[in-house]
């Protein structure tokens, strides 16, 4: 349980902004700027943040669907960032992804059987008969029926399509599943079904999840540990209970109090933050949150805070906690 | 509290879409009302008819294929469904205004913010001078908390962030002092921190200007936070209606209860989420009986055979479920079984 399955060190992704007739690179969008974390075997790591914070980019870089600009990703003892494309394709057998949009992520011209068989063909698993059997088996596992195999994606509802997306990710018996907003396109009652399914599968198949989402309630429900991202940086990371019960970073505090709670009697303590998220092409100097932070100090404008442990298992990037850090 | 007067009343509204696959009643016999200065929420999942209801009030149902086939929408002693388009245009944007989900697509990218705001005033206040119109636009922008209002008047929508655009939409809706503001998923496209700002703004404006707000949303958290009364819709019908406290403390309809149980709560970890089995039915696919019956764990024979009426369970609380028929209540256990 404590073994590290995935380790990320100093991961960065800069997208160039080109301008002028020669397409000169004038600036970079720093979508992800120097983040490090690790994922233990069998756990669920939730990554939350608002739009543009780089959480999806991070997810894609772990699978190298996007090439990192800098940084190292180690999975199961193997350094993914130094693999050739061919080797990487093989490594993807153990890392699979579930996407947000169940409408766009399934090919409308293929039957479910063909869609689910694809990963088996790519990785050369089993003979045609075994593959077919496996498709039927996994359809049952995700709560559909084997007769669904002959149908096309448009014949399914959103929730069912997301189940198919999950089945596809499971076909190669992966160790790690990266789920990028897997329930945000679904209605509440369907969302609960898919979340329960993901939890059951995790227990049964001993999966490790990286669960990327913007919904803090969903993340609390499914995650063992949670990382909060802001403008390409990791602001805070801790065990779920710790993070929700005593958030340290002012951004996490504001984020948690901003979520509407389904209870009219609930009285919130307000940590209101002003304004919008600044552009990642031109992020603020020092701590990136200082433009909206209610506890801003002088040092925040000039020095980038270090992301480091403050308590056991609780890391934060904020100058407020500089002194309480174990030396 | 003093009983406030009903400002808008929807009676037996039925909006049908005539499609190639037959007639689909997206909204089926819906009744509710909004009182002066009140915030009323309509909640439901996709396809429950909440947006079609709001479009029906505004007279904006796309026609063809849609049409209001039955019912009345009473606003200031007039039935909006019977008004000619010209009359309706005077009311729309003037007495009843609407803000939409997508602040990106509801502003014209080719015109400046100032242009679009002033146009909205010009249409309804024909005797105002240019100066008056300009000042009104700036005043509203300041009211919704936009910084440097004068400067923004000259900017185009793409120069603004999502949250600012939604503020512009709200300013535009409030320009003519509407009596009712319909907000259709106003914060769904926004991030949580921005959502909190916009909801607070809507609440404050409701108090300051005494504008009644009809808030349409799928998010139960948003409802709990902003509304005074709630209408819960499912498959084109109102299944429950009541004050917000009652709905959240004592939800009665099995659908409402299932919905509340299945939301992950940010404050504590539920061991396992309750989930309503099955899917939302296709509109029009269930003709007889309660539309929730196929997914309901309490369903009995009568639920499939007859359509339940709205039962008045307390003075202000109504539920469309046979469990609340005095004749049935004794026979059935209403405790929810968690799977």
């Amino acid at each position: 349980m404590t073994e590290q399955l995935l380790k990320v060190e100093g991961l960065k992704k800069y997208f160039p902004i080109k301008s002028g007739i020669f397409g000169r690179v004038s600036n970079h969008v720093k979508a992800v700027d120097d983040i490090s974390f690790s994922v233990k075997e069998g756990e669920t790591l939730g990554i939350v943040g608002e739009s543009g914070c780089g959480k999806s980019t991070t997810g894609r870089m772990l699978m190298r669907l996007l090439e990192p600009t800098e940084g190292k990703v180690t999975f199961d003892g193997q350094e993914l960032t130094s693999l050739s494309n061919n080797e990487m394709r093989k490594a993807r057998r153990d890392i699979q992804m579930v996407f947000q949009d169940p409408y766009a992520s399934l090919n409308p011209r293929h039957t479910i059987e063909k869609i689910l068989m694809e990963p088996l063909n790519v990785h050369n698993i089993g003979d045609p008969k075994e593959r077919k059997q496996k498709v039927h088996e996994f359809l049952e596992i995700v709560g559909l029926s084997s007769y669904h195999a002959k149908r096309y994606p448009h014949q399914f509802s959103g929730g069912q399509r997301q189940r198919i997306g999950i089945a596809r990710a499971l076909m190669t018996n992966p160790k790690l599943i990266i789920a990028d907003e897997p329930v945000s396109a679904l209605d509440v009652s369907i969302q609960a079904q898919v979340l329960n399914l993901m939890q059951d599968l995790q227990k049964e198949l001993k999966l490790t999840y990286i669960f990327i989402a913007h919904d803090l309630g969903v993340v609390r429900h499914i995650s063992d540990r949670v990382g909060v991202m802001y403008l390409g940086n990791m602001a805070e990371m801790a065990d779920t209970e710790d993070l929700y019960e005593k958030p340290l970073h002012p951004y996490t505090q504001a984020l948690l109090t901003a979520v509407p709670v389904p209870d009219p009697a609930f009285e919130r303590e307000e940590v209101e933050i002003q304004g919008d998220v600044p552009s990642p092409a031109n992020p603020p100097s020092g701590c990136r949150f200082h433009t909206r932070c209610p506890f801003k100090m002088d040092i925040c404008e000039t020095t980038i805070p270090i992301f480091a442990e403050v308590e056991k298992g609780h890391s934060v990037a904020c100058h407020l906690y500089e002194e309480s850090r174990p030396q | 509290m003093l009983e406030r007067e009903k400002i808008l009343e929807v009676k037996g509204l039925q909006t049908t879409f005539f499609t190639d696959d037959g007639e689909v009643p997206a909204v089926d016999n819906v009744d509710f009302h909004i009182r002066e200065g009140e915030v009323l929420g309509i909640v439901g999942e996709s396809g429950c008819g909440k947006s079609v209801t709001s479009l029906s009030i505004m007279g904006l149902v796309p026609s063809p294929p849609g049409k209001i086939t039955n019912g009345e929408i009473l606003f200031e002693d007039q039935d909006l469904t019977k008004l000619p388009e010209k009359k309706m245009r005077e009311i729309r944007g003037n007495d009843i205004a609407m803000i939409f989900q997508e602040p990106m697509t509801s502003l014209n990218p080719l015109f400046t913010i100032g242009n679009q705001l002033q146009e909205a005033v010009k249409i309804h206040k024909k005797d105002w001078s240019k100066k008056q119109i300009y000042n009104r636009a700036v005043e509203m922008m300041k009211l919704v908390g936009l910084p440097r209002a004068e400067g923004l008047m000259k900017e185009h929508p793409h120069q603004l962030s999502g949250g600012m655009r939604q503020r512009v939409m709200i300013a535009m809706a409030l320009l003519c002092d509407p009596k009712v503001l319909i907000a259709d998923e106003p914060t769904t496209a926004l991030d949580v921190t921005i959502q909190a700002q916009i909801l607070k703004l809507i609440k404050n404006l409701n108090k300051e200007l005494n504008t009644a707000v009809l808030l349409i949303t799928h998010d139960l958290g948003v409802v709990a936070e902003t509304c005074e009364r709630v209408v819960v819709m499912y498959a084109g019908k109102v299944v429950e209606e009541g004050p917000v406290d009652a709905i959240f403390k004592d939800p009665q309809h099995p659908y409402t209860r299932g919905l509340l149980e299945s939301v992950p709560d940010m404050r504590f970890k539920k061991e396992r989420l309750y989930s309503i089995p099955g899917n939302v039915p296709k509109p029009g696919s269930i003709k007889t009986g309660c539309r929730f019956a196929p997914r309901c764990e309490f369903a009995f024979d009568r639920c499939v055979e007859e359509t339940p009426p709205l039962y008045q369970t307390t003075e202000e609380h109504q539920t469309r479920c046979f469990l609340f028929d005095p004749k049935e209540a004794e026979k059935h256990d209403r405790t929810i079984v968690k799977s």
Side-chain angles (χ1 to χ4, degrees):
Chain A
M1 187 65 196
T2 47
E3 205 180 314
Q4 270 182 13
L5 185 66
L6 183 88
K7 195 162 183 224
V8 177
E9 289 162 277
L11 198 64
K12 287 184 187 175
K13 179 73 196 175
Y14 292 177
F15 292 104
I17 305 171
K18 291 178 179 158
S19 62
I21 45 169
F22 301 116
R24 205 166 42 88
V25 175
S26 61
N27 199 355
H28 286 96
V29 173
K30 294 169 179 151
V32 173
D33 202 3
D34 197 5
I35 62 166
S36 307
F37 61 90
S38 60
V39 185
K40 287 179 231 147
E41 205 169 338
E43 76 168 349
T44 302
L45 174 72
I47 298 183
V48 273
E50 298 181 285
S51 40
C53 73
K55 55 191 193 299
S56 292
T57 310
T58 305
R60 279 157 194 258
M61 276 197 288
L62 298 181
M63 277 202 85
R64 278 183 61 200
L65 294 176
L66 276 174
E67 269 326 307
T69 311
E70 230 177 85
K72 216 163 94 176
V73 179
T74 321
F75 174 76
D76 215 5
Q78 195 178 23
E79 199 186 314
L80 295 182
T81 29
S82 62
L83 296 182
S84 70
N85 283 345
N86 235 334
E87 289 168 320
M88 187 60 217
R89 190 170 307 130
K90 290 201 188 98
R92 287 203 190 105
R93 185 174 168 168
D94 288 331
I95 315 174
Q96 287 285 314
M97 198 151 183
V98 177
F99 298 92
Q100 169 174 12
D101 193 337
Y103 295 82
S105 57
L106 302 175
N107 188 333
R109 290 164 187 266
H110 287 178
T111 60
I112 300 310
E113 187 169 76
K114 191 157 184 207
I115 290 171
L116 294 184
M117 216 136 39
E118 185 103 19
L120 299 178
N121 294 338
V122 169
H123 293 288
N124 227 338
I125 302 169
D127 58 43
K129 213 179 142 204
E130 281 169 18
R131 287 177 192 170
K132 210 167 209 170
Q133 210 180 349
K134 203 156 181 210
V135 166
H136 291 191
E137 185 194 332
F138 272 97
L139 275 174
E140 307 266 348
I141 287 178
V142 297
L144 296 168
S145 307
S146 47
Y147 66 83
H148 285 130
K150 292 282 175 233
R151 298 200 182 163
Y152 287 89
H154 75 264
Q155 293 169 295
F156 294 92
S157 67
Q160 287 174 318
R161 266 184 255 205
Q162 202 54 293
R163 285 172 193 267
I164 295 166
I166 292 171
R168 177 175 59 184
L170 292 175
M171 293 308 287
T172 59
N173 294 333
K175 293 184 183 138
L176 174 69
I177 289 192
I178 300 169
D180 188 358
E181 300 268 15
V183 295
S184 59
L186 307 175
D187 274 322
V188 205
S189 68
I190 309 299
Q191 172 180 300
Q193 292 174 9
V194 173
L195 287 175
N196 285 341
L197 171 70
M198 286 185 72
Q199 281 183 317
D200 292 345
L201 290 171
Q202 181 168 37
K203 261 185 228 141
E204 252 168 72
L205 307 171
K206 307 221 165 17
L207 296 166
T208 307
Y209 288 139
I210 293 181
F211 195 98
I212 299 166
H214 70 277
D215 186 322
L216 288 141
V218 170
V219 167
R220 171 161 209 178
H221 180 74
I222 199 147
S223 312
D224 300 311
R225 279 195 309 139
V226 178
V228 181
M229 286 185 74
Y230 184 75
L231 263 183
N233 289 146
M234 193 64 80
E236 185 166 2
M237 188 177 265
D239 288 342
T240 308
E241 281 307 299
D242 264 3
L243 188 101
Y244 281 80
E245 291 309 322
K246 27 173 221 193
L248 296 178
H249 200 286
Y251 177 63
T252 316
Q253 292 169 359
L255 205 59
L256 289 177
T257 55
V259 181
V261 170
D263 177 3
F266 179 69
E267 298 269 340
R268 64 174 69 252
E269 303 169 45
E270 279 190 64
V271 182
E272 207 191 334
I273 50 174
Q274 301 295 324
D276 290 323
V277 184
S279 152
N282 191 13
S285 61
C287 172
R288 291 190 170 185
F289 186 59
H290 86 249
T291 50
R292 303 171 78 192
C293 184
F295 308 110
K296 194 190 83 174
M297 302 176 291
D298 291 340
I299 186 175
C300 304
E301 283 179 42
T302 50
T303 319
I304 299 174
I306 317 155
F307 179 71
E309 220 166 51
V310 177
E311 286 161 41
K312 198 181 173 304
H314 199 146
S315 305
V316 65
C318 179
H319 290 300
L320 289 174
Y321 304 99
E322 213 81 317
E323 277 140 44
S324 54
R325 217 159 255 165
Q327 294 302 313
Chain B
M1 196 170 35
L2 236 136
E3 186 76 343
R4 289 169 295 184
E5 242 174 86
K6 289 178 189 173
I7 186 160
L8 183 88
E9 195 168 8
V10 175
K11 278 186 183 166
L13 179 71
Q14 186 171 42
T15 306
T16 313
F17 284 83
F18 297 88
T19 65
D20 294 341
D21 304 331
E23 295 176 18
V24 179
V27 173
D28 195 4
N29 211 355
V30 162
D31 300 279
F32 65 89
H33 60 267
I34 311 171
R35 295 197 192 104
E36 252 172 23
E38 170 182 58
V39 184
L40 175 74
I42 299 187
V43 261
E45 299 179 289
S46 36
C48 73
K50 55 192 193 301
S51 286
V52 176
T53 305
S54 66
L55 291 177
S56 303
I57 297 173
M58 291 296 278
L60 290 173
V61 178
S63 169
K67 202 177 168 228
I68 296 177
T69 39
N70 214 341
E72 309 178 305
I73 299 168
L74 299 174
F75 176 75
E76 292 187 328
D77 306 322
Q78 307 175 80
D79 181 359
L80 298 185
T81 60
K82 306 240 160 38
L83 285 186
E85 179 55 28
K86 209 176 153 198
K87 266 269 163 76
M88 193 62 215
R89 212 175 288 157
E90 280 169 25
I91 290 178
R92 200 187 290 142
N94 197 16
D95 294 322
I96 308 177
M98 187 158 177
I99 47 179
F100 299 89
Q101 175 175 354
E102 271 294 329
M104 310 280 171
T105 49
S106 23
L107 288 167
N108 189 332
L110 297 178
F111 290 96
T112 60
I113 302 296
N115 229 316
Q116 299 185 50
L117 284 173
Q118 291 176 67
E119 186 192 1
V121 197
K122 237 180 268 172
I123 290 170
H124 294 292
K125 310 278 186 225
K126 298 210 169 65
D127 50 340
W128 284 24
S129 72
K130 271 191 183 154
K131 188 82 201 142
Q132 256 178 314
I133 291 174
Y134 179 84
N135 287 344
R136 175 71 181 164
V138 173
E139 181 198 346
M140 280 332 279
M141 298 224 331
K142 285 185 179 150
L143 186 71
V144 298
L146 283 164
R148 50 183 194 90
E150 272 100 355
L152 279 179
M153 293 285 281
K154 295 191 200 80
E155 286 183 13
H156 286 85
H158 74 268
Q159 292 167 288
L160 276 62
S161 69
M164 283 166 87
R165 277 183 218 154
Q166 198 57 288
R167 281 178 198 262
V168 170
M169 288 308 298
I170 296 173
M172 193 184 290
L174 295 175
L175 277 169
C176 300
D177 270 327
K179 299 190 178 79
V180 181
L181 174 68
I182 302 177
D184 189 356
E185 302 267 10
T187 57
T188 311
L190 305 174
D191 279 319
V192 263
T193 53
I194 310 298
Q195 164 171 291
Q197 294 171 7
I198 296 289
L199 289 178
K200 201 169 172 194
L201 172 69
I202 292 180
K203 264 198 291 193
N204 286 346
L205 290 173
N206 162 261
K207 275 201 203 96
E208 263 170 53
L209 309 174
N210 205 30
T211 312
V213 178
L214 176 62
L215 183 78
I216 292 162
T217 178
H218 69 279
D219 188 330
L220 290 158
V222 170
V223 170
E225 202 107 307
T226 29
C227 301
E228 292 163 57
R229 272 192 319 125
V230 192
V231 172
V232 183
M233 284 184 76
Y234 182 77
K237 285 213 178 282
V238 174
V239 294
E240 188 162 355
E241 190 203 315
V244 81
D245 298 318
I247 296 271
F248 281 85
K249 231 177 255 150
D250 175 31
Q252 296 178 333
H253 197 281
Y255 174 66
T256 317
R257 293 164 69 187
L259 209 55
L260 280 169
E261 285 289 329
S262 55
V263 189
D265 197 318
M266 209 222 21
R267 291 169 300 165
F268 47 85
K269 193 161 185 161
K270 295 177 183 172
E271 262 318 299
R272 196 177 166 75
L273 291 177
Y274 173 81
S275 68
I276 306 174
N279 288 299
V280 179
K282 260 198 195 138
S285 63
I286 299 176
K287 298 258 182 326
T288 53
C290 171
R291 299 198 175 172
F292 187 60
R295 302 175 75 190
C296 181
E297 61 175 278
F298 304 102
F300 44 96
D301 295 346
R302 198 173 163 200
C303 301
V304 191
E305 289 152 12
E306 291 172 57
T307 308
L310 272 173
Y311 291 102
Q312 197 79 39
T313 53
T314 67
E315 201 182 318
E316 289 195 80
H317 201 153
Q318 301 178 64
T319 306
R320 190 182 297 282
C321 178
F322 282 128
L323 291 176
F324 291 88
D325 185 335
K327 278 179 281 174
E328 305 281 354
E330 319 234 308
K331 285 187 263 174
H332 303 276
D333 182 15
R334 290 200 293 251
T335 33
I336 216 162
V337 188
K338 282 194 193 170
S339 55

